[in-house]
Structures are given as C-alpha cells and as structure tokens.
Amino acid sequence: MKCQEANHRSGPEAGRAILSSKAFSAGSRMRAKVGRRKPAVNREAADLFITRNMTYIGPMDLPNAITPALLDRLIRRLPQWVLSCEEPHQQRGLAGALLNAPPRDAGLLPAAAGLALWAWQERPLEVENLHLVKSACSKLNISYPGMSALLEFLSDALLQDLKTEDFDLLARSGEHDLLLKHGMRLLRDKRQGLFWLARAFAPLLAAGRWDILLAAVDAALPPSAAGPKRLLRDRLIAEAAFCLKPPEEALRLLEGLTPQFWGWWRAQRMAERFLALGRKDKAAELYTQLVQAMPWHVNILLRLDSLLHYEPPPPQDLSSTALLLYSWNKAGLLENTLDCLAGTEAAQARCIVVLDNGSTDETPQVLDKAARGPLGSRLRPVRTRVNVGAPAARNWLLSLEEVRACEFLVFLDDDAALQPGFLHGLAGAARSNPQFGTIGCRIKASAEPGFLQSADYNLSPPQARRSPSPDIQQHVHIFDNCANTPDTGLFTYTRPAAHVSGCCHLLRRETLDTLGGFDVRYSPTQFDDLDRDLRLLASGSSCLYVGEIEVRHVQFSSLAKSKTLSQTGHILGNMVKLASKFDQDEAERMFEANLESLHQHCLQAAKRVASAVR
C-alpha cells in the first residue's frame, strides 16, 4: 500500500516508468477537463512568479527562464507532480521523467533540474540522488565553482561494491552503541568511511542520539577536514542540529553553510528554526524567496500559504462533539493519553467514551482514576467481556445513544499525546469546510526527534502492479509521502486528501449515517479506517488534512508494527480484502477526482500567496 512501483526506481528508469504509466496518459484526460476552465485562473496563479529582489539563498540561474505558468503546466503534463515534491522516490521519478521527456517538454527541464538539485541537497548521501543530480547537470550544462569536485568526491566515496548486509542489520537493530563500537573501524577507514556513514546516518538520526551521531561523523569526516569533506561535514552536522538541538544552535550551524552548495535546503531549514523561535515574519520572508526560486515545489508553496493564511480557529462550541477511544491491555499508554486529554479542552466535549475492549490488565483502574480527575463526569467507561476487534469497537462506540446525538465524532488512539487546541482545531476545520466528511492531522512519533508517521495520503495511479496475492488485481494504491522522515515543516499545510491517519480524526455524524460505519471484515484491526475513507472518496466527498494540528503517537502502524509472522499474515490478508473492493473503473474515477482536487487547491494556494506577497 505504498507509492506506485515506478516511484521505487530511480533516475532515468523511474522517469521512463512514469512517462509510460497510466498516470501520464491520465494527464491527457485531466488536461482536457482542466482546459475548459476560465483562463483567468492561470493568470492569477502566474502572478506568484514575478521576479523580485531577494537575498542570495543559493544557485538558481538554471538555463531557460522559469515561465509564469510553470506549476500549472507541470501538473497538467505530469498529474502526479501535485502529490508531493518531497517523497524521495517521487522526486527521482518526476525529475527523471522530465529529463528523459520528448523535445516538446524542453521548457520543463529547469523544473527537472531544480527538483534534482533539491533532492540532492536534502539527501546528499543517497546514491540515487547523486546519479540524478549529475544527470541533470550534464543535461542542462549546469556548473558552478566547486560543484564538480564535490560530486566527484561523493562518487568515489559512495559508489563502492562492498558487502553491507551485516552492517545494515546492525544499523536497523536499534543497538546504536553497539553499531558505533563495531563500526568505528569502518567509519575511520579513509577510503570507505563515508560509504559506511551514508548507511548509518539516517538510523542514528532517527534514534535521536547527538553524541553517537557526532562521533560517527567525526570518524568519517574529521573536524580537521577541508575541501569537499568539510562541505559535507558541515552539512550533515547542520542536519543533525536541525533535528536534535535547540533552534538557536541549529540556526547558527545552518547559517554557516555555504549557500552555493546548500542554499535552498539551508534557507528552508532556517525558516523553520526561525518559526520555532517565534519569528514568523522571517520564516515567511525566506519561504517567499524559496517559492520565487522554486515555483515548481508544491510542498514549499503550500507551506508558505499556511504561514500567510492559516490561523488556529477560535474556541469552538464542543457541546455536540464526542471523543471516542478503545483500548485493549495498554493501561499505561491509555493512562498517559487520558492525562494528556485532561490538559486540553477535552472536558468541554459532550462526552469522552472509552471502550475497554476486554482488557485483562489494570485498564479498569486507570479509567476509574481518570473519572475522578479533571475529565470528571464527561468520561464514560464502557466494557466488553472479550476483545471484539477495532472495527466492531468503533461501531459499538458509534451506536451509543449519547454519541449518536453528536454532530462531530473524534476517534483517538489509546497511545496518542494531544496538545491544547487540537479539538478546537478539528472542530473549527470541520465547520469551515462542510464539504469534507473527515478531518485529520499531522502525526509524529512521540519519541524525539519526533519523526513523521503520517500526513496526507492520496492515490497513486490505478495501474496493476505487485498485489498481495497473485489472484487479486489491486487497483487502489496509496501514496504515502512522508512516513518515518524528519518533520521538516514541509507537511504543515491544509489540503484535501484521500485518507488521513486514524490515530486522530474527526468524522461527521451525517456522513456516517450515509456511508455506514467500519467494516468488521477487517477485524481484529488494520485498514478499516482506510476503507471508510476510500468509500467516502468514491461517494464524491473526501478528507481534509490539517497539518497545522500536530498529534504525537507512540506506536507505528500497519506492517511497521507487526512483530510476528501471524501479525504480518493478518495485515497482508486485510490488504487482499481492501484490494478486492474497488474495480479498475472505480479506482480510475477515484484517482482522477483526488488529483483534480489537489490540482485545484494548488492553484488556489498560488493565487492566495500571489495576492499576499505583492
């Protein structure tokens, strides 16, 4: 259920796959529909790209001027462009597609080169990005002092044929002290050190251990390093500081980077650190410069739109809102979640119903204690004698008389950490956007550095590819654009979505009455919330993702949480059930409707930004 298979290739191969894919041909149908719109939409969106005086944030003198209607033209030519400019396989696939496109698309080559440069600036240690940026530089004859030397240094270091299985297994094991102990000899090797650092850097960053990460960088790229080594060392330490250090320290290290090599990445990360310090004006200034330099970058445009226009809604009337949780044998996690709720506006809701799904641990005592606390009489414990599974537990909660009287129904996982304002945010978004049946938010891991678990999910092309069973033709493919990546700020925006995380989402009572509840065939758990959102999309509505609302979450989802063969088999079995629900025609209609809504929203965001920055 991840990105389309073509996106998991890299560079030219991915490009050829996308150009020949159904998504690319779908662009013809979408262009025919879009072409009937009033031309004024394009002119308004084009205003965004008027050249202005800017401070220097990096190399942006790409061959051929970026045309005013570039973003709209990109989405018309490659409908998948609007999904994301951040997901790594998507970056390589889209840039590769344009670098290998026919001559009639030569005007889009600057966007391809820009996306290639951005992907490399974001992940300079990935071999696929190295190939991509070298291809782009060669295709468009891009060169500036020192770039060739840096790329050749990386080529020599990363393109080695070494056995990596044992090292990779240790890097993924979570035994990071052990990795450093046994890997130090490899990291210090003058010829191979950077090769091994490239494989260890991301796992060590995700672990949140500054000491171990710095020791690994010091081993492969010593503090005394000069030339390309120094450029790369400074870049990696700045990334670690962005994720792990206070904003002031991260800003100092980011400002020390050479804009000539890391300009766009440096400016974007600096904007987010300024924002963390309360300098929204400075963040908006940097993002404005980035949009002018990178008008093709969908996420950066949406982030600036959010900075300029999103305001947390005022306190809402929550008297017709129900908070719904279910839990099985996770007393400690449930207690933490209820404690978090007690520090929010949750007590203003009509009711907080917690279904104890047949637990045999201390869950009843946890609920009794919570009922005597700040949540008080709003808390309604419900108990089943056995675990009825997630879909049935949700339906049980929805069937309760007090819940049926509510307009908004907010489901929370029993291991979520909520911040004050989250419920006002969800209810405010629902009231301001009545056309959406579900409202979701940005989900981050509870442990620092708080990597993203989910943002907005949309649809990849409905072409046939690897299916969970050879007997099942899977047509609905979910595009997951951010799982297990640092929260860089580039998913903090509001836009339509095919699906949002079930960890914390708001459902409308009227939509549930029309579409029905959760399908118990997905018992005991997994994909019942996705199935409900897809039914919503097939009905002509969709979800709204509000990335400005942040929720922390302990446990990951789907295959990432399966620890046994039985659990993995169950999840794959539910994937088969989901795959059999929608035929080719339904999948195509859903895919085109999803992309059309994203396209329209992107152009509207461009119009709003253009008007605001004049």
Side-chain angles (χ1 to χ4, degrees), residues 241-527:
F242 175 85
C243 294
L244 304 175
K245 288 294 185 179
E248 300 91 339
E249 186 171 349
L251 263 175
R252 178 179 59 81
L253 292 168
L254 286 164
E255 286 175 329
L257 295 179
T258 306
Q260 183 175 341
F261 300 99
W262 316 114
W264 294 344
W265 182 88
R266 170 182 176 266
Q268 190 274 322
R269 297 315 197 252
M270 285 176 63
E272 291 297 327
R273 293 306 87 184
F274 276 121
L275 194 61
L277 292 172
R279 292 291 309 278
K280 185 176 180 180
D281 57 336
K282 187 64 177 175
E285 177 186 340
L286 284 169
Y287 267 113
T288 299
Q289 294 169 9
L290 283 165
V291 168
Q292 291 164 340
M294 307 162 68
W296 38 264
H297 199 301
V298 171
N299 299 67
I300 286 177
L301 171 66
L302 296 177
R303 182 60 172 128
L304 178 57
D305 183 41
S306 171
L307 278 175
L308 295 176
H309 300 111
Y310 178 83
E311 292 292 340
Q316 301 288 303
D317 178 4
L318 302 177
S319 60
S320 187
T321 299
L323 281 166
L324 308 175
L325 299 86
Y326 56 93
S327 185
W328 178 66
N329 284 345
K330 290 196 284 187
L333 292 172
L334 177 62
E335 184 173 22
N336 291 338
T337 297
L338 293 174
D339 287 344
C340 283
L341 280 177
T344 72
E345 64 275 19
Q348 300 172 30
R350 174 164 182 159
C351 58
I352 305 167
V353 187
V354 183
L355 187 144
D356 176 1
N357 203 4
S359 299
T360 57
D361 61 358
E362 294 75 31
T363 295
Q365 291 83 354
V366 166
L367 292 174
D368 289 343
K369 176 184 174 183
R372 297 191 299 271
L375 298 179
S377 60
R378 301 289 188 188
L379 187 64
R380 311 277 197 274
V382 178
R383 181 170 174 80
T384 63
R385 294 186 178 182
V386 296
N387 186 339
V388 298
R394 286 173 167 159
N395 290 339
W396 193 313
L397 289 165
L398 293 173
S399 72
L400 299 175
E401 184 176 352
E402 189 170 17
V403 174
R404 289 194 57 80
C406 291
E407 177 187 11
F408 299 143
L409 313 169
V410 178
F411 276 98
L412 298 175
D413 278 4
D414 57 4
D415 56 350
L418 297 312
Q419 300 177 357
F422 88 97
L423 198 51
H424 289 313
L426 290 171
R431 289 194 171 101
S432 300
N433 301 275
Q435 69 273 32
F436 295 101
T438 301
I439 312 295
C441 52
R442 177 169 47 95
I443 309 298
K444 296 176 61 172
S446 59
E448 294 301 335
F451 272 31
L452 289 168
Q453 290 188 356
S454 62
D456 52 332
Y457 296 92
N458 290 292
L459 299 187
S460 286
Q463 64 191 88
R465 64 167 173 84
R466 287 182 301 176
S467 296
S469 166
D471 300 321
I472 298 293
Q473 195 76 53
Q474 182 175 340
H475 302 294
V476 175
H477 306 303
I478 304 301
F479 182 87
D480 180 359
N481 60 2
C482 72
N484 202 31
T485 59
D487 186 5
T488 63
L490 291 177
F491 297 94
T492 303
Y493 50 72
T494 295
R495 72 168 177 174
H499 171 54
V500 291
S501 172
C503 169
C504 175
H505 61 164
L506 178 150
L507 312 179
R508 295 182 188 276
R509 163 56 62 188
E510 61 180 347
T511 303
L512 281 164
D513 290 342
T514 301
L515 291 179
F518 295 87
D519 193 334
V520 296
R521 287 176 290 182
Y522 294 101
S523 293
T525 186
Q526 296 305 319
F527 302 129

Side-chain angles (χ1 to χ4, degrees), residues 128-149:
E128 296 88 350
N129 289 343
L130 178 62
H131 288 315
L132 186 65
V133 75
K134 290 177 73 173
S135 174
C137 289
S138 174
K139 184 96 174 180
L140 280 80
N141 195 28
I142 299 171
S143 178
Y144 46 93
M147 184 66 167
S148 297

Side-chain angles (χ1 to χ4, degrees), residues 43-243:
R43 289 198 297 271
E44 291 166 340
D47 290 344
L48 173 63
F49 311 126
I50 297 173
T51 303
R52 294 174 178 84
N53 293 326
M54 298 180 285
T55 58
Y56 181 72
I57 59 173
M60 53 188 87
D61 295 328
L62 299 176
N64 302 324
I66 294 178
T67 59
L70 176 64
L71 181 60
D72 189 39
R73 184 181 172 193
L74 280 168
I75 298 172
R76 291 169 185 268
R77 186 60 173 140
L78 282 176
Q80 288 168 268
W81 195 282
V82 78
L83 291 174
S84 176
C85 288
E86 281 300 289
E87 200 280 329
H89 301 100
Q90 167 92 342
Q91 288 176 334
R92 295 191 285 266
L94 293 177
L98 291 183
L99 289 173
N100 291 277
R104 68 175 181 272
D105 291 324
L108 300 178
L109 283 177
L115 186 56
L117 281 167
W118 171 254
W120 174 74
Q121 287 187 18
E122 278 201 302
R123 288 173 295 277
L125 295 181
E126 291 189 7
V127 170
E128 296 88 350
N129 289 343
L130 178 62
H131 288 315
L132 186 65
V133 75
K134 290 177 73 173
S135 174
C137 289
S138 174
K139 184 96 174 180
L140 280 80
N141 195 28
I142 299 171
S143 178
Y144 46 93
M147 184 66 167
S148 297
L150 180 56
L151 294 180
E152 286 309 311
F153 164 71
L154 285 168
S155 295
D156 290 341
L158 300 179
L159 301 178
Q160 301 187 55
D161 186 15
L162 302 174
K163 293 183 178 180
T164 63
E165 291 82 0
D166 292 342
F167 188 90
D168 291 345
L169 186 62
L170 188 57
R172 293 192 301 266
S173 70
E175 299 290 342
H176 302 109
D177 292 282
L178 198 61
L179 172 65
L180 198 63
K181 177 181 178 181
H182 292 283
M184 190 58 74
R185 178 182 58 82
L186 296 174
L187 291 168
R188 288 195 179 115
D189 187 285
K190 292 183 178 180
R191 171 72 177 134
Q192 301 178 8
L194 185 57
F195 176 91
W196 297 112
L197 179 62
R199 309 193 77 82
F201 187 82
L204 291 178
L205 184 63
R209 291 282 303 275
W210 172 266
D211 56 339
I212 293 181
L213 190 56
L214 184 60
V217 173
D218 283 347
L221 301 167
S224 60
K229 287 187 177 181
R230 185 72 197 189
L231 289 169
L232 190 59
R233 172 189 167 82
D234 290 347
R235 162 62 181 78
L236 296 178
I237 291 178
E239 179 175 358
F242 175 85
C243 294

